[in-house]
PDB file of all heavy atoms in Angstrom:
ATOM      1  N   GLN V   1     185.566  26.792  -7.692  1.00 98.00           N
ATOM      2  CA  GLN V   1     185.335  26.263  -9.025  1.00 98.00           C
ATOM      3  C   GLN V   1     184.278  25.180  -8.954  1.00 98.00           C
ATOM      4  O   GLN V   1     184.452  24.171  -8.278  1.00 98.00           O
ATOM      5  CB  GLN V   1     186.620  25.708  -9.628  1.00 98.00           C
ATOM      6  CG  GLN V   1     186.489  25.281 -11.079  1.00 98.00           C
ATOM      7  CD  GLN V   1     187.828  25.008 -11.722  1.00 98.00           C
ATOM      8  OE1 GLN V   1     188.830  24.821 -11.041  1.00 98.00           O
ATOM      9  NE2 GLN V   1     187.856  24.993 -13.037  1.00 98.00           N
ATOM     10  N   ALA V   2     183.180  25.413  -9.650  1.00 97.00           N
ATOM     11  CA  ALA V   2     182.108  24.441  -9.746  1.00 97.00           C
ATOM     12  C   ALA V   2     182.320  23.578 -10.983  1.00 97.00           C
ATOM     13  O   ALA V   2     182.977  24.003 -11.938  1.00 97.00           O
ATOM     14  CB  ALA V   2     180.756  25.142  -9.814  1.00 97.00           C
ATOM     15  N   PRO V   3     181.758  22.374 -11.003  1.00 92.00           N
ATOM     16  CA  PRO V   3     181.918  21.511 -12.172  1.00 92.00           C
ATOM     17  C   PRO V   3     181.469  22.191 -13.456  1.00 92.00           C
ATOM     18  O   PRO V   3     180.382  22.764 -13.518  1.00 92.00           O
ATOM     19  CB  PRO V   3     181.024  20.313 -11.844  1.00 92.00           C
ATOM     20  CG  PRO V   3     181.004  20.274 -10.349  1.00 92.00           C
ATOM     21  CD  PRO V   3     181.009  21.722  -9.929  1.00 92.00           C
ATOM     22  N   GLY V   4     182.321  22.152 -14.469  1.00 94.00           N
ATOM     23  CA  GLY V   4     182.005  22.762 -15.747  1.00 94.00           C
ATOM     24  C   GLY V   4     182.262  24.246 -15.827  1.00 94.00           C
ATOM     25  O   GLY V   4     182.099  24.833 -16.906  1.00 94.00           O
ATOM     26  N   ASN V   5     182.654  24.867 -14.722  1.00 96.00           N
ATOM     27  CA  ASN V   5     182.902  26.306 -14.700  1.00 96.00           C
ATOM     28  C   ASN V   5     184.369  26.608 -14.466  1.00 96.00           C
ATOM     29  O   ASN V   5     185.145  25.754 -14.030  1.00 96.00           O
ATOM     30  CB  ASN V   5     182.070  26.981 -13.612  1.00 96.00           C
ATOM     31  CG  ASN V   5     180.583  26.919 -13.877  1.00 96.00           C
ATOM     32  OD1 ASN V   5     180.156  26.832 -15.024  1.00 96.00           O
ATOM     33  ND2 ASN V   5     179.795  26.969 -12.814  1.00 96.00           N
ATOM     34  N   GLU V   6     184.747  27.846 -14.742  1.00 97.00           N
ATOM     35  CA  GLU V   6     186.100  28.295 -14.471  1.00 97.00           C
ATOM     36  C   GLU V   6     186.217  28.756 -13.024  1.00 97.00           C
ATOM     37  O   GLU V   6     185.227  29.079 -12.371  1.00 97.00           O
ATOM     38  CB  GLU V   6     186.492  29.426 -15.420  1.00 97.00           C
ATOM     39  CG  GLU V   6     186.549  29.006 -16.881  1.00 97.00           C
ATOM     40  CD  GLU V   6     187.082  30.098 -17.783  1.00 97.00           C
ATOM     41  OE1 GLU V   6     187.332  31.211 -17.281  1.00 97.00           O
ATOM     42  OE2 GLU V   6     187.262  29.834 -18.977  1.00 97.00           O
ATOM     43  N   ARG V   7     187.435  28.790 -12.536  1.00 97.00           N
ATOM     44  CA  ARG V   7     187.682  29.241 -11.184  1.00 97.00           C
ATOM     45  C   ARG V   7     187.332  30.723 -11.060  1.00 97.00           C
ATOM     46  O   ARG V   7     187.681  31.533 -11.923  1.00 97.00           O
ATOM     47  CB  ARG V   7     189.142  29.004 -10.807  1.00 97.00           C
ATOM     48  CG  ARG V   7     189.461  29.234  -9.348  1.00 97.00           C
ATOM     49  CD  ARG V   7     190.886  28.780  -9.022  1.00 97.00           C
ATOM     50  NE  ARG V   7     191.069  27.355  -9.274  1.00 97.00           N
ATOM     51  CZ  ARG V   7     192.184  26.687  -9.011  1.00 97.00           C
ATOM     52  NH1 ARG V   7     193.232  27.316  -8.486  1.00 97.00           N
ATOM     53  NH2 ARG V   7     192.260  25.388  -9.288  1.00 97.00           N
ATOM     54  N   GLU V   8     186.642  31.075  -9.979  1.00 97.00           N
ATOM     55  CA  GLU V   8     186.219  32.449  -9.778  1.00 97.00           C
ATOM     56  C   GLU V   8     186.593  32.941  -8.386  1.00 97.00           C
ATOM     57  O   GLU V   8     186.661  32.175  -7.427  1.00 97.00           O
ATOM     58  CB  GLU V   8     184.705  32.585  -9.988  1.00 97.00           C
ATOM     59  CG  GLU V   8     183.867  31.832  -8.971  1.00 97.00           C
ATOM     60  CD  GLU V   8     182.377  32.049  -9.160  1.00 97.00           C
ATOM     61  OE1 GLU V   8     181.985  32.761 -10.099  1.00 97.00           O
ATOM     62  OE2 GLU V   8     181.592  31.491  -8.358  1.00 97.00           O
ATOM     63  N   LEU V   9     186.804  34.232  -8.303  1.00 97.00           N
ATOM     64  CA  LEU V   9     187.128  34.870  -7.032  1.00 97.00           C
ATOM     65  C   LEU V   9     185.938  34.825  -6.090  1.00 97.00           C
ATOM     66  O   LEU V   9     184.802  35.073  -6.494  1.00 97.00           O
ATOM     67  CB  LEU V   9     187.545  36.317  -7.270  1.00 97.00           C
ATOM     68  CG  LEU V   9     187.729  37.189  -6.023  1.00 97.00           C
ATOM     69  CD1 LEU V   9     188.947  36.739  -5.235  1.00 97.00           C
ATOM     70  CD2 LEU V   9     187.852  38.660  -6.415  1.00 97.00           C
ATOM     71  N   VAL V  10     186.199  34.526  -4.823  1.00 98.00           N
ATOM     72  CA  VAL V  10     185.193  34.617  -3.772  1.00 98.00           C
ATOM     73  C   VAL V  10     185.499  35.805  -2.869  1.00 98.00           C
ATOM     74  O   VAL V  10     184.664  36.692  -2.686  1.00 98.00           O
ATOM     75  CB  VAL V  10     185.115  33.323  -2.944  1.00 98.00           C
ATOM     76  CG1 VAL V  10     184.080  33.474  -1.829  1.00 98.00           C
ATOM     77  CG2 VAL V  10     184.782  32.135  -3.834  1.00 98.00           C
ATOM     78  N   ALA V  11     186.689  35.825  -2.288  1.00 98.00           N
ATOM     79  CA  ALA V  11     187.064  36.905  -1.386  1.00 98.00           C
ATOM     80  C   ALA V  11     188.570  36.963  -1.236  1.00 98.00           C
ATOM     81  O   ALA V  11     189.252  35.943  -1.326  1.00 98.00           O
ATOM     82  CB  ALA V  11     186.415  36.723  -0.008  1.00 98.00           C
ATOM     83  N   LEU V  12     189.076  38.165  -0.998  1.00 98.00           N
ATOM     84  CA  LEU V  12     190.487  38.390  -0.723  1.00 98.00           C
ATOM     85  C   LEU V  12     190.610  39.261   0.517  1.00 98.00           C
ATOM     86  O   LEU V  12     189.702  40.024   0.835  1.00 98.00           O
ATOM     87  CB  LEU V  12     191.185  39.089  -1.894  1.00 98.00           C
ATOM     88  CG  LEU V  12     191.251  38.355  -3.229  1.00 98.00           C
ATOM     89  CD1 LEU V  12     191.800  39.289  -4.307  1.00 98.00           C
ATOM     90  CD2 LEU V  12     192.115  37.110  -3.118  1.00 98.00           C
ATOM     91  N   ILE V  13     191.748  39.154   1.194  1.00 97.00           N
ATOM     92  CA  ILE V  13     192.015  40.016   2.327  1.00 97.00           C
ATOM     93  C   ILE V  13     193.492  40.388   2.307  1.00 97.00           C
ATOM     94  O   ILE V  13     194.360  39.533   2.144  1.00 97.00           O
ATOM     95  CB  ILE V  13     191.602  39.356   3.661  1.00 97.00           C
ATOM     96  CG1 ILE V  13     191.761  40.345   4.820  1.00 97.00           C
ATOM     97  CG2 ILE V  13     192.370  38.064   3.902  1.00 97.00           C
ATOM     98  CD1 ILE V  13     191.059  39.885   6.088  1.00 97.00           C
ATOM     99  N   THR V  14     193.775  41.674   2.448  1.00 94.00           N
ATOM    100  CA  THR V  14     195.139  42.163   2.375  1.00 94.00           C
ATOM    101  C   THR V  14     195.839  42.004   3.712  1.00 94.00           C
ATOM    102  O   THR V  14     195.235  41.654   4.726  1.00 94.00           O
ATOM    103  CB  THR V  14     195.165  43.643   1.972  1.00 94.00           C
ATOM    104  OG1 THR V  14     194.628  44.435   3.034  1.00 94.00           O
ATOM    105  CG2 THR V  14     194.355  43.885   0.706  1.00 94.00           C
ATOM    106  N   SER V  15     197.135  42.300   3.719  1.00 88.00           N
ATOM    107  CA  SER V  15     197.903  42.243   4.958  1.00 88.00           C
ATOM    108  C   SER V  15     197.417  43.272   5.966  1.00 88.00           C
ATOM    109  O   SER V  15     197.649  43.117   7.160  1.00 88.00           O
ATOM    110  CB  SER V  15     199.391  42.455   4.672  1.00 88.00           C
ATOM    111  OG  SER V  15     199.618  43.717   4.062  1.00 88.00           O
ATOM    112  N   GLY V  16     196.746  44.308   5.485  1.00 88.00           N
ATOM    113  CA  GLY V  16     196.153  45.308   6.356  1.00 88.00           C
ATOM    114  C   GLY V  16     194.726  44.988   6.752  1.00 88.00           C
ATOM    115  O   GLY V  16     194.034  45.847   7.301  1.00 88.00           O
ATOM    116  N   ASP V  17     194.280  43.780   6.459  1.00 91.00           N
ATOM    117  CA  ASP V  17     192.954  43.274   6.830  1.00 91.00           C
ATOM    118  C   ASP V  17     191.829  43.960   6.074  1.00 91.00           C
ATOM    119  O   ASP V  17     190.700  44.046   6.571  1.00 91.00           O
ATOM    120  CB  ASP V  17     192.718  43.399   8.330  1.00 91.00           C
ATOM    121  CG  ASP V  17     193.545  42.427   9.144  1.00 91.00           C
ATOM    122  OD1 ASP V  17     194.082  41.468   8.560  1.00 91.00           O
ATOM    123  OD2 ASP V  17     193.655  42.631  10.374  1.00 91.00           O
ATOM    124  N   THR V  18     192.111  44.450   4.879  1.00 95.00           N
ATOM    125  CA  THR V  18     191.068  45.019   4.037  1.00 95.00           C
ATOM    126  C   THR V  18     190.461  43.920   3.177  1.00 95.00           C
ATOM    127  O   THR V  18     191.165  43.308   2.373  1.00 95.00           O
ATOM    128  CB  THR V  18     191.618  46.125   3.143  1.00 95.00           C
ATOM    129  OG1 THR V  18     192.154  47.177   3.952  1.00 95.00           O
ATOM    130  CG2 THR V  18     190.520  46.695   2.253  1.00 95.00           C
ATOM    131  N   PRO V  19     189.160  43.651   3.330  1.00 97.00           N
ATOM    132  CA  PRO V  19     188.540  42.581   2.554  1.00 97.00           C
ATOM    133  C   PRO V  19     187.989  43.052   1.216  1.00 97.00           C
ATOM    134  O   PRO V  19     187.586  44.208   1.068  1.00 97.00           O
ATOM    135  CB  PRO V  19     187.400  42.121   3.469  1.00 97.00           C
ATOM    136  CG  PRO V  19     186.977  43.382   4.159  1.00 97.00           C
ATOM    137  CD  PRO V  19     188.236  44.197   4.342  1.00 97.00           C
ATOM    138  N   ILE V  20     187.982  42.143   0.271  1.00 97.00           N
ATOM    139  CA  ILE V  20     187.369  42.359  -1.032  1.00 97.00           C
ATOM    140  C   ILE V  20     186.500  41.144  -1.317  1.00 97.00           C
ATOM    141  O   ILE V  20     186.964  40.012  -1.219  1.00 97.00           O
ATOM    142  CB  ILE V  20     188.418  42.534  -2.137  1.00 97.00           C
ATOM    143  CG1 ILE V  20     189.316  43.733  -1.842  1.00 97.00           C
ATOM    144  CG2 ILE V  20     187.751  42.714  -3.497  1.00 97.00           C
ATOM    145  CD1 ILE V  20     190.502  43.845  -2.773  1.00 97.00           C
ATOM    146  N   TYR V  21     185.241  41.379  -1.687  1.00 98.00           N
ATOM    147  CA  TYR V  21     184.307  40.284  -1.918  1.00 98.00           C
ATOM    148  C   TYR V  21     183.750  40.315  -3.322  1.00 98.00           C
ATOM    149  O   TYR V  21     183.489  41.386  -3.885  1.00 98.00           O
ATOM    150  CB  TYR V  21     183.129  40.356  -0.951  1.00 98.00           C
ATOM    151  CG  TYR V  21     183.487  40.148   0.498  1.00 98.00           C
ATOM    152  CD1 TYR V  21     183.619  41.228   1.364  1.00 98.00           C
ATOM    153  CD2 TYR V  21     183.683  38.866   1.004  1.00 98.00           C
ATOM    154  CE1 TYR V  21     183.939  41.033   2.698  1.00 98.00           C
ATOM    155  CE2 TYR V  21     184.002  38.669   2.333  1.00 98.00           C
ATOM    156  CZ  TYR V  21     184.129  39.757   3.181  1.00 98.00           C
ATOM    157  OH  TYR V  21     184.442  39.555   4.504  1.00 98.00           O
ATOM    158  N   ALA V  22     183.549  39.133  -3.881  1.00 97.00           N
ATOM    159  CA  ALA V  22     182.763  39.018  -5.090  1.00 97.00           C
ATOM    160  C   ALA V  22     181.309  39.337  -4.765  1.00 97.00           C
ATOM    161  O   ALA V  22     180.872  39.192  -3.620  1.00 97.00           O
ATOM    162  CB  ALA V  22     182.870  37.607  -5.670  1.00 97.00           C
ATOM    163  N   ASP V  23     180.560  39.770  -5.771  1.00 97.00           N
ATOM    164  CA  ASP V  23     179.161  40.113  -5.542  1.00 97.00           C
ATOM    165  C   ASP V  23     178.374  38.938  -4.967  1.00 97.00           C
ATOM    166  O   ASP V  23     177.484  39.130  -4.135  1.00 97.00           O
ATOM    167  CB  ASP V  23     178.507  40.582  -6.844  1.00 97.00           C
ATOM    168  CG  ASP V  23     178.976  41.962  -7.263  1.00 97.00           C
ATOM    169  OD1 ASP V  23     179.510  42.700  -6.414  1.00 97.00           O
ATOM    170  OD2 ASP V  23     178.800  42.306  -8.447  1.00 97.00           O
ATOM    171  N   SER V  24     178.701  37.741  -5.385  1.00 94.00           N
ATOM    172  CA  SER V  24     177.992  36.562  -4.914  1.00 94.00           C
ATOM    173  C   SER V  24     178.235  36.277  -3.439  1.00 94.00           C
ATOM    174  O   SER V  24     177.451  35.565  -2.810  1.00 94.00           O
ATOM    175  CB  SER V  24     178.391  35.338  -5.741  1.00 94.00           C
ATOM    176  OG  SER V  24     179.778  35.082  -5.628  1.00 94.00           O
ATOM    177  N   ALA V  25     179.313  36.834  -2.893  1.00 95.00           N
ATOM    178  CA  ALA V  25     179.693  36.571  -1.508  1.00 95.00           C
ATOM    179  C   ALA V  25     179.251  37.661  -0.544  1.00 95.00           C
ATOM    180  O   ALA V  25     179.142  37.411   0.666  1.00 95.00           O
ATOM    181  CB  ALA V  25     181.206  36.392  -1.405  1.00 95.00           C
ATOM    182  N   LYS V  26     179.007  38.841  -1.045  1.00 95.00           N
ATOM    183  CA  LYS V  26     178.687  39.975  -0.185  1.00 95.00           C
ATOM    184  C   LYS V  26     177.435  39.716   0.644  1.00 95.00           C
ATOM    185  O   LYS V  26     176.416  39.272   0.131  1.00 95.00           O
ATOM    186  CB  LYS V  26     178.500  41.240  -1.023  1.00 95.00           C
ATOM    187  CG  LYS V  26     179.776  41.762  -1.648  1.00 95.00           C
ATOM    188  CD  LYS V  26     179.513  43.021  -2.467  1.00 95.00           C
ATOM    189  CE  LYS V  26     180.795  43.554  -3.083  1.00 95.00           C
ATOM    190  NZ  LYS V  26     180.544  44.747  -3.930  1.00 95.00           N
ATOM    191  N   GLY V  27     177.544  39.992   1.936  1.00 96.00           N
ATOM    192  CA  GLY V  27     176.415  39.832   2.834  1.00 96.00           C
ATOM    193  C   GLY V  27     176.232  38.441   3.372  1.00 96.00           C
ATOM    194  O   GLY V  27     175.436  38.241   4.298  1.00 96.00           O
ATOM    195  N   ARG V  28     176.932  37.464   2.830  1.00 97.00           N
ATOM    196  CA  ARG V  28     176.788  36.081   3.269  1.00 97.00           C
ATOM    197  C   ARG V  28     178.091  35.463   3.757  1.00 97.00           C
ATOM    198  O   ARG V  28     178.077  34.626   4.658  1.00 97.00           O
ATOM    199  CB  ARG V  28     176.219  35.218   2.143  1.00 97.00           C
ATOM    200  CG  ARG V  28     174.850  35.656   1.655  1.00 97.00           C
ATOM    201  CD  ARG V  28     174.255  34.643   0.690  1.00 97.00           C
ATOM    202  NE  ARG V  28     175.102  34.449  -0.485  1.00 97.00           N
ATOM    203  CZ  ARG V  28     175.586  33.266  -0.871  1.00 97.00           C
ATOM    204  NH1 ARG V  28     175.305  32.175  -0.178  1.00 97.00           N
ATOM    205  NH2 ARG V  28     176.338  33.178  -1.957  1.00 97.00           N
ATOM    206  N   PHE V  29     179.203  35.865   3.157  1.00 98.00           N
ATOM    207  CA  PHE V  29     180.498  35.294   3.511  1.00 98.00           C
ATOM    208  C   PHE V  29     181.355  36.348   4.207  1.00 98.00           C
ATOM    209  O   PHE V  29     181.249  37.543   3.916  1.00 98.00           O
ATOM    210  CB  PHE V  29     181.245  34.801   2.278  1.00 98.00           C
ATOM    211  CG  PHE V  29     180.533  33.740   1.484  1.00 98.00           C
ATOM    212  CD1 PHE V  29     180.997  33.376   0.233  1.00 98.00           C
ATOM    213  CD2 PHE V  29     179.402  33.097   1.982  1.00 98.00           C
ATOM    214  CE1 PHE V  29     180.365  32.397  -0.507  1.00 98.00           C
ATOM    215  CE2 PHE V  29     178.754  32.119   1.249  1.00 98.00           C
ATOM    216  CZ  PHE V  29     179.242  31.767  -0.008  1.00 98.00           C
ATOM    217  N   THR V  30     182.219  35.893   5.099  1.00 98.00           N
ATOM    218  CA  THR V  30     183.132  36.784   5.800  1.00 98.00           C
ATOM    219  C   THR V  30     184.529  36.200   5.775  1.00 98.00           C
ATOM    220  O   THR V  30     184.732  35.061   6.196  1.00 98.00           O
ATOM    221  CB  THR V  30     182.693  37.008   7.253  1.00 98.00           C
ATOM    222  OG1 THR V  30     181.375  37.561   7.289  1.00 98.00           O
ATOM    223  CG2 THR V  30     183.655  37.980   7.944  1.00 98.00           C
ATOM    224  N   ILE V  31     185.483  36.976   5.288  1.00 98.00           N
ATOM    225  CA  ILE V  31     186.871  36.542   5.266  1.00 98.00           C
ATOM    226  C   ILE V  31     187.629  37.214   6.406  1.00 98.00           C
ATOM    227  O   ILE V  31     187.375  38.373   6.739  1.00 98.00           O
ATOM    228  CB  ILE V  31     187.532  36.849   3.901  1.00 98.00           C
ATOM    229  CG1 ILE V  31     188.900  36.176   3.808  1.00 98.00           C
ATOM    230  CG2 ILE V  31     187.626  38.348   3.648  1.00 98.00           C
ATOM    231  CD1 ILE V  31     189.502  36.219   2.405  1.00 98.00           C
ATOM    232  N   SER V  32     188.545  36.479   7.005  1.00 97.00           N
ATOM    233  CA  SER V  32     189.369  37.009   8.080  1.00 97.00           C
ATOM    234  C   SER V  32     190.714  36.294   8.060  1.00 97.00           C
ATOM    235  O   SER V  32     190.883  35.289   7.370  1.00 97.00           O
ATOM    236  CB  SER V  32     188.684  36.848   9.442  1.00 97.00           C
ATOM    237  OG  SER V  32     188.447  35.484   9.732  1.00 97.00           O
ATOM    238  N   ARG V  33     191.666  36.818   8.829  1.00 95.00           N
ATOM    239  CA  ARG V  33     192.982  36.193   8.855  1.00 95.00           C
ATOM    240  C   ARG V  33     193.622  36.347  10.215  1.00 95.00           C
ATOM    241  O   ARG V  33     193.304  37.258  10.980  1.00 95.00           O
ATOM    242  CB  ARG V  33     193.891  36.783   7.769  1.00 95.00           C
ATOM    243  CG  ARG V  33     194.264  38.249   7.985  1.00 95.00           C
ATOM    244  CD  ARG V  33     194.973  38.825   6.764  1.00 95.00           C
ATOM    245  NE  ARG V  33     196.237  38.159   6.493  1.00 95.00           N
ATOM    246  CZ  ARG V  33     196.954  38.322   5.383  1.00 95.00           C
ATOM    247  NH1 ARG V  33     196.510  39.135   4.423  1.00 95.00           N
ATOM    248  NH2 ARG V  33     198.100  37.680   5.224  1.00 95.00           N
TER     249      ARG V  33
END
């Protein structure tokens, strides 16, 4: 959440290690657990 903006999804990862990324995060961010 940036100042003045609403909270937005960045990335999620399931219990099976399947990642889901927002378009803004793809190619730059990596989620792991």
Side-chain angles (χ1 to χ4, degrees):
Q1 187 168 18
N5 294 333
E6 296 186 356
R7 189 172 299 184
E8 65 177 2
L9 172 69
V10 178
L12 297 172
I13 186 166
T14 69
S15 60
D17 289 345
T18 299
I20 300 171
Y21 294 100
D23 287 341
S24 61
K26 291 180 179 178
R28 300 188 300 123
F29 300 169
T30 301
I31 190 170
S32 61
R33 67 189 297 169

